[in-house]
Amino acid sequence: MSTASATDTADVAQVVEEPEGGRLRGLARLQVLQIVLLLFVTVAVFSILRPDTFLTLFNFRGILQNTSILAVLGVGMTFVIITGGIDLSIGSVLVFSGVVADKVMAAQGGQGWGTVLLGAGVAVLSGLAWGLLNGFLVAKGKVAPLIVTLGSLSAALGFAQIITGGLDLRDAPRKLVDKIGFGNVAGQVPTLAVIAALVVVGGMILLHRTRFGLYTYAVGSNAEAGRRVGVNVDRHLIKVYALAGLLAGFGGILNLAFFQSTTIGGQSNTALNVIAGVAIGGTSLFGGVGTVFGTVMGLFIPIVLQNGFIQINVQPFWQQVVVGAVLVAVVYIDQARRTAAVRGGSRPRLPFLSRSGSRTRKETE
Amino acid sequence: MTTPILEARGISKVYGHVEALSGTNFDLYPGEVTALIGDNGAGKSTLVRILSGAEQATAGEILFEGKPVHLHSPTDASRLGMETVFQDLALAPHLSPVQNMYLGREVMARGLLGHLGFMDKKRMREGSRSAFDRLGATVRNLGGPVGAMSGGQRQGIAVARAAAWAEKVVFLDEPTAALGVVQTKNVIELIRRVSAEGIGVVFISHSMPHVMEVADRIQVMWRGRRVVTYRKEDTSMEQLVAAMTGALERVAS
Ligand SMILES: Nc1ncnc2c1ncn2[C@@H]1O[C@H](COP(=O)(O)OP(=O)(O)OP(=O)(O)O)[C@@H](O)[C@H]1O
Ligand SMILES: [Mg+2]
């Protein structure tokens, strides 16, 4: 070896190694930290203003319950958005799955666990089917995710209304409502929250520890780079949309448990609320960056605000205004930092507006 | 002479109205370094993309170890032992050097965990570090995103990745374009080392001194075709420059 490369190797050896980190990921973490802080401050302010009603176990249980279903949906949405996609259909898929599950459970009869399990299975499979359809159209049909899922948003709700004639069904078995919708684990912890926590932890492990998670980031970062090293990008996209659909279907049975109704007319904003939570939580709509933990934090903010506003007698509608402002502010700050961190290249177009994997990020400057 | 490890015959490639390659030939022998040179737009990158499976030829034939092969994807080429550093590098900017190094070739954890999709991050880390050290690439942060690194660092990662996985052939499309003096020396060292292991190296560069330093043979392209092949000892920079600018063709026609 020449002296030049010997010195250079020495050079490499002496540089400090930062095990995990780096500026982009550091930024993502910084943003999550920011949101945790914001959440903490919000909770603190309301607690000081209304220590008697806000800062109570009863109230916190309510907040947890209200966030649970959104968190389950948020896990799937985080994966989709990291691939550079979007899924507008999850609210409708949730309704559709709830309707089909309700029908099946009513036909089966019975109020026990057997019926509940059957219903849950049916809901999950219905959601999975919609997710597979979304994924297939995005990956193989090369239709923009925004359009595909806008289509299934409309179609899934339409089917739900055709099946029910537009009237909500209310055939949730007693066990489902009592044990899951309003049940508690270990005395005071809502079962719904425990189930959501399990899904969230599962999602974190899947995203950060497994090959599935790595491919999710890779597809969102540079699909062409993945393809060239043998990652089956299309198949992975299908799996990711399938996961989002499956979780929306699971949300359908949880929704039935909590509201004892299929809430056909009540889910038109669900997907948008979840997307807002994902974005507030630091997942980039440009793909390649994001965390499940951030999403959960991002979802808590609107719920806590709404809850708190009611208690301090501010019209709860202000929550929507504040959340809108927070969303834009957070994403603005995030983008400004990111642009400063990654040199070169113009801002890419939002990927979910274009065909999947059609873009290659230029590596050369 | 032995059979070429890789040979292309009459390769054409048409993009819409542009004929990027018009029936070009190419050959590479085991353990040799061949430089592929030519003016901007001569078709070098296009030829490399076709030979490495990233794109398909409009017409022509590719032979690997004397047998015709069809390369439908870069994975097909990888399976034959061919690796490529593309001109656009093809790294995922949000992933770390380690993740880029092992993307598509993850080392899975042992036993049940591995079947569940868990990876052995420690082994991938160590593998990457030794690959980067071998190249002397100044990768400071094995865990940080590649997108935040300098052009030269990224190029170092792409070159190290190709060299680490190649068994028969490495394509390097302008691998030193963004590199510093020391790193360029290292890449040239690496090319020598790789070819000494019996691997054929295709080296594309606009730097004639580097070409003359490392290549055994030099194939010159002009307007989508290979116009001439020289052995290094039989040629000079002047002759190469003349061939690249189409002087030979003008004499011939
Ligand atoms: N994807 C594409 N679509 C249309 N035309 C293309 C495409 N890729 C290459 N070309 C054209 O094919 C010709 C050869 O391009 P190529 O990139 O192979 O040249 P090159 O020899 O690698 O040049 P350079 O030294 O500048 O890298 C050029 O005229 C180019 O415009
Ligand atoms: Mg080129």
Side-chain angles (χ1 to χ4, degrees):
Chain A
M1 228 200 224
S2 71
T3 39
S5 44
T7 26
D8 199 61
T9 312
D11 216 42
V12 174
Q14 66 176 220
V15 294
V16 217
E17 255 188 42
E18 311 153 40
E20 299 290 329
R23 271 184 290 181
L24 272 180
R25 212 165 303 159
L27 283 181
R29 212 183 286 145
L30 193 67
Q31 198 186 352
V32 172
L33 206 71
Q34 227 170 39
I35 295 308
V36 173
L37 210 68
L38 184 64
L39 187 60
F40 186 79
V41 170
T42 317
V43 169
V45 168
F46 287 129
S47 300
I48 291 164
L49 290 175
R50 296 310 304 260
D52 48 334
T53 55
F54 186 85
L55 194 60
T56 61
L57 192 61
F58 174 79
N59 194 44
F60 276 60
R61 292 185 63 244
I63 290 175
L64 277 182
Q65 270 173 329
N66 285 322
T67 317
S68 295
I69 295 173
L70 291 179
V72 169
L73 302 177
V75 170
M77 187 69 83
T78 306
F79 278 83
V80 169
I81 292 184
I82 291 174
T83 67
I86 198 110
D87 189 348
L88 298 177
S89 72
I90 54 172
S92 296
V93 170
L94 177 150
V95 167
F96 177 89
S97 306
V99 163
V100 176
D102 184 292
K103 278 280 182 200
V104 170
M105 290 190 295
Q108 163 78 15
Q111 304 290 325
W113 283 119
T115 312
V116 171
L117 275 179
L118 178 69
V122 167
V124 165
L125 286 180
S126 311
L128 178 65
W130 280 105
L132 284 171
L133 180 67
N134 282 341
F136 189 80
L137 289 172
V138 167
K140 298 289 183 190
K142 307 287 178 209
V143 183
L146 187 81
I147 299 301
V148 169
T149 60
L150 194 57
S152 44
L153 160 89
S154 178
L157 190 62
F159 276 123
Q161 285 166 324
I162 291 168
I163 294 171
T164 59
L167 299 172
D168 273 316
L169 305 176
R170 298 165 189 282
D171 304 301
R174 284 249 62 81
K175 270 274 187 278
L176 180 64
V177 177
D178 293 346
K179 293 293 171 192
I180 294 181
F182 293 95
N184 288 306
V185 175
Q188 293 287 349
V189 190
T191 313
L192 221 45
V194 173
I195 292 173
L198 289 175
V199 172
V200 165
V201 170
M204 285 175 177
I205 293 172
L206 187 63
L207 184 58
H208 301 296
R209 294 270 168 266
T210 69
R211 174 158 64 184
F212 186 90
L214 175 64
Y215 284 4
T216 304
Y217 286 109
V219 167
S221 181
N222 186 346
E224 183 56 30
R227 224 171 260 130
R228 286 190 190 165
V229 292
V231 175
N232 192 332
V233 172
D234 290 355
R235 199 173 60 192
H236 191 74
L237 278 173
I238 293 175
K239 283 185 195 170
V240 167
Y241 282 89
L243 174 70
L246 180 148
L247 289 174
F250 188 54
I253 194 85
L254 298 180
N255 192 61
L256 212 50
F258 190 59
F259 292 102
Q260 301 158 64
S261 155
T262 46
T263 66
I264 293 173
Q267 303 292 344
S268 44
N269 280 334
T270 302
L272 295 180
N273 290 337
V274 171
I275 291 166
V278 171
I280 291 175
T283 295
S284 166
L285 293 179
F286 297 103
V289 183
T291 62
V292 170
F293 178 76
T295 295
V296 176
M297 293 300 113
L299 287 169
F300 266 120
I301 291 201
I303 308 251
V304 169
L305 281 176
Q306 181 158 38
N307 180 292
F309 281 153
I310 293 173
Q311 301 197 20
I312 59 171
N313 295 323
V314 170
Q315 281 196 65
F317 308 118
W318 277 104
Q319 174 253 13
Q320 299 176 44
V321 178
V322 175
V323 168
V326 168
L327 172 67
V328 175
V330 162
V331 173
Y332 173 79
I333 295 169
D334 170 48
Q335 280 182 9
R337 274 211 219 94
R338 243 174 253 277
T339 319
V342 185
R343 80 207 81 209
S346 54
R347 176 144 290 289
R349 285 191 311 149
L350 276 174
F352 52 78
L353 294 175
S354 50
R355 300 191 300 124
S356 68
S358 58
R359 72 225 157 89
T360 319
R361 293 218 175 132
K362 283 279 174 211
E363 286 299 324
T364 44
E365 277 159 331
Chain B
M1 224 178 168
T2 50
T3 36
I5 187 148
L6 185 66
E7 189 181 354
R9 291 184 189 154
I11 300 283
S12 294
K13 178 72 184 179
V14 181
Y15 295 107
H17 298 293
V18 184
E19 192 175 34
L21 294 175
S22 34
T24 191
N25 298 329
F26 176 82
D27 51 8
L28 174 71
Y29 291 87
E32 85 165 341
V33 178
T34 194
L36 189 57
I37 65 171
D39 224 347
N40 290 128
K44 308 179 294 293
S45 296
T46 307
L47 180 60
V48 165
R49 284 199 299 271
I50 287 168
L51 293 178
S52 60
E55 279 176 28
Q56 278 70 49
T58 313
E61 198 183 16
I62 301 171
L63 298 118
F64 185 79
E65 295 179 328
K67 288 183 285 289
V69 286
H70 292 278
L71 304 171
H72 299 288
S73 72
T75 329
D76 288 347
S78 287
R79 231 172 264 138
L80 295 173
M82 304 198 282
E83 294 296 326
T84 309
V85 177
F86 294 99
Q87 195 164 10
D88 65 5
L89 300 186
L91 298 172
H94 302 85
L95 300 187
S96 71
V98 177
Q99 289 171 323
N100 269 293
M101 182 89 193
Y102 279 90
L103 189 62
R105 291 189 168 92
E106 299 78 14
V107 179
M108 304 310 284
R110 262 175 237 159
L112 180 66
L113 280 181
H115 288 288
L116 287 174
F118 289 84
M119 298 174 290
D120 189 340
K121 291 191 179 177
K122 187 157 164 276
R123 275 189 41 209
M124 293 195 281
R125 232 184 132 67
E126 288 163 0
S128 309
R129 190 180 296 127
S130 68
F132 297 143
D133 285 353
R134 206 151 84 101
L135 182 62
T138 52
V139 180
R140 292 209 166 73
N141 183 353
L142 286 181
V146 158
M149 297 181 178
S150 79
Q153 288 171 326
R154 281 182 283 172
Q155 209 154 36
I157 293 163
V159 172
R161 175 172 71 175
W165 299 119
E167 279 162 12
K168 302 267 172 84
V169 176
V170 184
F171 297 98
L172 300 165
D173 193 350
E174 301 194 30
T176 57
L179 294 186
V181 178
V182 175
Q183 284 75 18
T184 300
K185 259 209 157 82
N186 285 333
V187 169
I188 294 201
E189 275 289 320
L190 183 85
I191 290 174
R192 291 221 175 89
R193 227 176 307 155
V194 165
S195 73
E197 290 169 17
I199 295 172
V201 179
V202 181
F203 175 58
I204 298 181
S205 176
H206 287 290
S207 159
M208 290 309 117
H210 293 153
V211 166
M212 293 299 279
E213 189 179 343
V214 75
D216 302 311
R217 275 194 313 147
I218 298 145
Q219 311 190 35
V220 185
M221 293 189 72
W222 186 70
R223 298 205 179 159
R225 292 187 54 201
R226 180 180 73 181
V227 287
V228 65
T229 303
Y230 296 112
R231 305 206 60 74
K232 191 219 342 240
E233 50 277 13
D234 304 338
T235 188
S236 64
M237 287 201 205
E238 293 72 36
Q239 200 175 19
L240 293 179
V241 171
M244 280 197 293
T245 49
L248 297 172
E249 290 293 297
R250 275 195 291 276
V251 171
S253 57

